[in-house]
């Protein structure tokens, strides 16, 4: 099933009886940092640290060993890719800490590299935070070892290199299903989104994996396999 939505359940009480997720947030914009922290705490989770730069992020991750790090792509001092580089370092040093990257714009090269590091990774545009249910659901999915990719990121990743016509093998419906797979949706979630039965979605997924020679991939690993192929 798709991860259930997190609903505010009062301070100190994790949603649905689950243990609260321990989270660090790194964003140089105080308003966004505090706003995200408030959403997560209202949903019953624990924000153990809030910082404004990549160096501080690496320090608090080492100190608190959180379940999830929410990271802005561009932070001081250069406002280029400090957050992305810190995210990659976290994934390398402490793979058990999930990472959810927030960005103002799509930077697909970084997305492919980090998605390839394994489950427990998400990449969302900051506008998605405005949809509270969607954002909280994505945070939960990532903290549980799944994937959450912004549709705009997926759209760019699904453009094959010049001269590569592999995706031409897919039908228009299969391309829709592939895009939703890459976002991290389960078969049930895809079925709901496209108004199809789960059995029909299973057939499409099987066909996609067969055409892309990705037999045996399942769960979030099928997403990683598809994205790795599309590099």
């Amino acid at each position: 099933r798709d991860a259930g939505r997190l609903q505010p359940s009062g301070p100190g009480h994790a949603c649905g009886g689950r243990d609260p997720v321990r989270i660090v947030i790194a964003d140089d914009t105080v308003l966004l940092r505090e706003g995200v922290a408030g959403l997560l705490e209202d949903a019953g989770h624990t924000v153990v640290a809030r910082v404004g730069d990549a160096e501080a992020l690496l320090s608090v991750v080492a100190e608190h060993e959180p379940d999830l790090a929410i990271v802005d792509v561009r932070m001081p001092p250069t406002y280029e890719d400090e957050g992305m580089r810190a995210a990659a370092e976290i994934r390398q040093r402490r793979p058990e800490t999930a990472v959810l990257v927030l960005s103002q714009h799509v930077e697909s090269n970084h997305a492919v590299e980090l998605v390839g590091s394994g489950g427990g990774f998400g990449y969302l545009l900051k506008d998605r935070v405005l949809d509270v249910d969607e954002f909280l659901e994505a945070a939960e999915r990532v903290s549980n070892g799944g994937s959450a990719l912004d549709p705009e990121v997926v759209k760019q990743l699904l453009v094959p290199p010049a001269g590569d016509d592999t995706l031409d093998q897919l039908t228009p419906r299969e391309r829709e299903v592939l895009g939703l797979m890459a976002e991290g949706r389960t078969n049930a979630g895809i079925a709901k989104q496209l108004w199809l039965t789960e059995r029909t979605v299973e057939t499409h997924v099987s066909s996609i994996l067969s055409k892309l020679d990705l037999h045996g991939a399942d769960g979030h690993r099928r997403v990683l396999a598809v994205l790795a192929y599309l590099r």
Side-chain angles (χ1 to χ4, degrees), residues 22-27 46-72 75 82-101 120:
R22 300 177 66 255
I23 302 165
V24 300
I25 301 173
D27 195 301
T46 304
V47 178
V48 296
R50 316 172 194 196
V51 298
D53 62 74
E55 183 177 351
L57 167 63
L58 294 175
S59 177
V60 296
V61 167
E63 177 184 355
H64 295 285
E65 300 184 341
D67 304 309
L68 174 66
I70 297 179
V71 184
D72 184 17
M75 290 188 288
E82 284 87 351
M84 273 295 194
R85 286 189 281 112
E89 189 168 338
I90 291 168
R91 297 295 286 156
Q92 182 177 14
R93 292 185 178 183
R94 185 178 165 77
E96 58 269 38
T97 292
V99 175
L100 177 57
V101 172

Side-chain angles (χ1 to χ4, degrees), residues 1-6 18 137-138 140-141 144 147 180-181 183-193 198 222:
R1 64 175 179 87
D2 278 354
R5 289 179 177 175
L6 298 175
R18 293 185 293 271
E137 183 177 348
E140 181 185 56
R141 188 160 68 240
N144 286 332
S147 305
L180 292 171
M181 286 169 59
E183 288 178 31
R185 296 180 186 270
T186 62
N187 287 354
I190 294 170
K192 182 177 180 181
Q193 179 75 17
E198 283 191 53
R222 70 183 185 174

Side-chain angles (χ1 to χ4, degrees), residues 105-123:
H105 307 286
V106 177
E107 299 182 36
S108 56
N109 290 337
H110 288 303
V112 172
E113 177 185 349
L114 282 165
V115 167
S117 68
F121 174 73
Y123 190 154

Side-chain angles (χ1 to χ4, degrees):
R1 64 175 179 87
D2 278 354
R5 289 179 177 175
L6 298 175
Q7 298 291 345
S9 53
H13 298 285
C15 173
R18 293 185 293 271
D19 291 336
V21 178
R22 300 177 66 255
I23 302 165
V24 300
I25 301 173
D27 195 301
D28 65 290
T29 304
V30 176
L31 184 60
L32 180 63
R33 188 169 70 224
E34 295 303 314
V36 168
L39 292 176
L40 293 163
E41 289 177 335
D42 284 348
H45 299 285
T46 304
V47 178
V48 296
R50 316 172 194 196
V51 298
D53 62 74
E55 183 177 351
L57 167 63
L58 294 175
S59 177
V60 296
V61 167
E63 177 184 355
H64 295 285
E65 300 184 341
D67 304 309
L68 174 66
I70 297 179
V71 184
D72 184 17
V73 169
R74 299 184 179 186
M75 290 188 288
T78 69
Y79 294 94
E80 292 181 353
D81 64 348
E82 284 87 351
M84 273 295 194
R85 286 189 281 112
E89 189 168 338
I90 291 168
R91 297 295 286 156
Q92 182 177 14
R93 292 185 178 183
R94 185 178 165 77
E96 58 269 38
T97 292
V99 175
L100 177 57
V101 172
L102 300 180
S103 179
Q104 198 70 44
H105 307 286
V106 177
E107 299 182 36
S108 56
N109 290 337
H110 288 303
V112 172
E113 177 185 349
L114 282 165
V115 167
S117 68
F121 174 73
Y123 190 154
L124 300 179
L125 295 183
K126 288 186 176 180
D127 287 349
R128 302 295 168 192
V129 178
L130 299 178
D131 186 329
V132 175
D133 284 346
E134 183 178 334
F135 170 70
L136 293 175
E137 183 177 348
E140 181 185 56
R141 188 160 68 240
V142 171
S143 70
N144 286 332
S147 305
L149 296 184
D150 195 282
E152 289 302 314
V153 175
V154 172
K155 185 185 299 183
Q156 292 201 22
L157 293 177
L158 293 183
V159 177
D164 186 343
D165 60 357
T166 306
L167 291 183
D168 290 343
Q169 301 177 58
L170 305 183
T171 66
R173 178 62 88 183
E174 287 170 347
R175 289 179 67 101
E176 281 186 287
V177 172
L178 178 60
L180 292 171
M181 286 169 59
E183 288 178 31
R185 296 180 186 270
T186 62
N187 287 354
I190 294 170
K192 182 177 180 181
Q193 179 75 17
L194 298 180
W195 294 87
L196 300 173
T197 65
E198 283 191 53
R199 179 63 62 85
T200 299
V201 171
E202 289 171 6
T203 299
H204 285 313
V205 170
S206 177
S207 177
I208 290 166
L209 296 178
S210 177
K211 289 178 179 180
L212 298 183
D213 197 23
L214 297 170
H215 305 284
D218 62 354
H220 71 265
R221 283 175 288 188
R222 70 183 185 174
V223 179
L224 301 176
V226 169
L227 292 181
Y229 179 87
L230 293 175
R231 276 188 285 187

